[in-house]
Amino acid sequence: MKKTGAAVLILLLIFLCSQIHVQAYEADEQPQNVDEIYDEQLKNSGAEELFDELPPQAQRNLEELGVESPDWRELNALSFGAVFSQIMQMLGENGQTPALAMAQVLALMLLCALADGLKLSFGEKPLGGIIGIVSTLCICGVLVYPIVEAIEKSAQVIVTASGFMLLYIPVMVGVMIAAGQAVSGASYYTLMMGAGQVVTQVSSNVLVPLLNIFLGMSIVSSISQRINLKGICGLCNKVVKWVLAFVMSVFVSVLTFQTMLGAAADTTSVRAARFAISSFVPVVGGALSDAFLTVQSCLKMLKSGIGVFAILGAAVIFLPMILECLVWLFSIHVCAAAGDVFGLTQPCALLRAAGKVISTIVAILLCCMTVFIISAAIILMIGGS
């Protein structure tokens, strides 16, 4: 009996010592290691390399905002003033070409208005049509090349953003799987990788030729009175915008439904894993369950940082070109208003046709940027980040 009592006493002392050790680990060591756990996960996930995959201009813009990695501490330091000043800087850098073109077009229109006035004073009515055609051709010489260049730059921006998203998606999905969101990660990977490939191919093989043809038809319709293609140009503009809106709505809806279903399945599996750890692991099951929760929380924080960084990366890729196109639209509308004042019908028709082409470019850029940003935002909100 004495031996049995001594054995029970020894076992009881061992159990108490292990409990004290586990509690000391929970109270003292675990909170101190949260930042270390996060930093190690950030390093091992490969998320730090996403900054190097951005184009040089986007890297400079993010550096000026103080963001050089998906670290939540850098992202949390962003301020509205810094973002607004950066947008104004982009506007100043990318609005020079449209502003110069606007000045040149206004000078040409003023010259044509003076020539038209001299023609009327001399009574040379046959010169009326010639002055309109000459003024339209001169404006074409000013506008066509920069607009064609803007079309090519827009397609290149879409390809660059698609390439960045195709590099971001595996990193995000890896973190999601490690955080216990395997079902959501698989559906997100499949849908976004397919969308990235489609956007890249369409922008390279369809966008540039289609918009160039649209611009050429608009120019021919505005110069020649016998070839009236205004209805076809307006139809193309409306069809492109409606198709973009429909495709974006379907894509976002499918992504939302899949992510919601996957999130429900992932939540169930994570809770089952925590219950199994706390119930079936003897002595330290509760401590391991809490440690599992801590690691999962760090992974969700890492996931949030990667998602926000991807949104910022897509924004700094698209915004310069979008701002340039908006300045183009403003400049073209100012010139068209001046042409109405001077009574120049054909140059105004050309300017409004060019404005439709630019508005189509803006719609395409906004659609692509919105799809990338909303897809990242949905996976953050529904995934519990």
Side-chain angles (χ1 to χ4, degrees):
M1 295 292 297
K2 292 182 180 180
K3 293 182 178 179
T4 304
V8 171
L9 182 61
I10 292 172
L11 289 175
L12 183 60
L13 290 173
I14 293 174
F15 176 75
L16 290 174
C17 291
S18 65
Q19 287 293 98
I20 293 172
H21 176 72
V22 169
Q23 291 176 0
Y25 175 79
E26 288 185 76
D28 297 333
E29 295 183 9
Q30 185 174 341
Q32 296 176 1
N33 292 333
V34 170
D35 289 338
E36 296 179 4
I37 293 172
Y38 177 81
D39 292 336
E40 185 177 357
Q41 290 173 349
L42 177 62
K43 181 179 179 181
N44 294 332
S45 65
E48 293 179 324
E49 300 176 0
L50 290 176
F51 181 80
D52 298 328
E53 303 300 331
L54 290 168
Q57 183 62 42
Q59 291 182 8
R60 287 193 293 271
N61 292 332
L62 286 181
E63 286 176 353
E64 293 178 0
L65 290 174
V67 177
E68 297 183 7
S69 71
D71 194 338
W72 71 271
R73 288 159 289 199
E74 294 183 4
L75 296 170
N76 194 40
L78 279 174
S79 63
F80 174 77
V83 174
F84 183 77
S85 62
Q86 189 63 34
I87 292 175
M88 291 296 101
Q89 182 179 347
M90 291 181 188
L91 184 63
E93 292 175 353
N94 296 278
Q96 296 178 359
T97 301
L100 178 61
M102 179 178 66
Q104 294 174 347
V105 170
L106 288 175
L108 286 172
M109 296 180 78
L110 180 59
L111 182 61
C112 293
L114 290 174
D116 191 61
L118 291 174
K119 175 263 301 181
L120 289 176
S121 63
F122 285 108
E124 298 177 359
K125 295 182 180 180
L127 292 178
I130 297 175
I131 291 177
I133 294 175
V134 170
S135 61
T136 304
L137 291 175
C138 292
I139 293 174
C140 283
V142 174
L143 291 181
V144 170
Y145 178 75
I147 293 178
V148 170
E149 191 176 23
I151 293 172
E152 295 178 356
K153 287 167 62 178
S154 301
Q156 186 60 40
V157 163
I158 295 174
V159 172
T160 302
S162 301
F164 173 71
M165 296 301 291
L166 291 177
L167 293 171
Y168 142 79
I169 292 168
V171 176
M172 173 61 90
V173 171
V175 174
M176 292 174 64
I177 293 174
Q181 298 175 346
V183 179
S184 301
S187 60
Y188 183 70
Y189 180 85
T190 303
L191 192 60
M192 289 301 298
M193 290 295 286
Q197 294 290 341
V198 170
V199 168
T200 302
Q201 295 298 323
V202 168
S203 60
S204 300
N205 301 321
V206 178
L207 178 61
V208 174
L210 181 63
L211 288 177
N212 285 330
I213 292 172
F214 186 21
L215 179 62
M217 291 171 57
S218 301
I219 293 172
V220 171
S221 177
S222 61
I223 293 176
S224 177
Q225 299 292 334
R226 297 181 179 180
I227 304 176
N228 190 0
L229 302 176
K230 295 179 182 179
I232 297 177
C233 295
L235 177 63
C236 291
N237 186 22
K238 292 180 181 179
V239 167
V240 168
K241 292 180 179 180
W242 278 102
V243 168
L244 288 174
F246 176 75
V247 171
M248 185 176 67
S249 301
V250 171
F251 176 81
V252 173
S253 301
V254 172
L255 179 62
T256 304
F257 295 151
Q258 288 187 350
T259 307
M260 290 176 63
L261 295 174
D266 293 331
T267 302
T268 303
S269 62
V270 169
R271 289 180 178 176
R274 287 191 61 199
F275 176 77
I277 292 173
S278 60
S279 300
F280 297 106
V281 177
V283 182
V284 294
L288 289 178
S289 179
D290 292 339
F292 172 76
L293 181 61
T294 301
V295 173
Q296 190 185 33
S297 299
C298 292
L299 284 169
K300 287 186 177 181
M301 190 184 301
L302 176 61
K303 173 189 163 187
S304 299
I306 295 174
V308 173
F309 183 82
I311 292 173
L312 284 176
V316 296
I317 291 174
F318 279 103
L319 268 181
M321 196 62 223
I322 291 176
L323 292 174
E324 180 178 343
C325 291
L326 291 178
V327 177
W328 269 115
L329 280 177
F330 174 77
S331 303
I332 287 173
H333 286 303
V334 169
C335 294
D340 289 334
V341 172
F342 295 144
L344 302 174
T345 305
Q346 287 179 297
C348 289
L350 171 64
L351 290 169
R352 291 191 172 91
K356 290 182 180 180
V357 176
I358 298 295
S359 65
T360 305
I361 297 174
V362 173
I364 294 172
L365 290 174
L366 286 175
C367 177
C368 294
M369 185 180 73
T370 304
V371 166
F372 289 150
I373 291 177
I374 289 180
S375 63
I378 288 174
I379 208 68
L380 291 180
M381 291 186 294
I382 297 181
S385 298

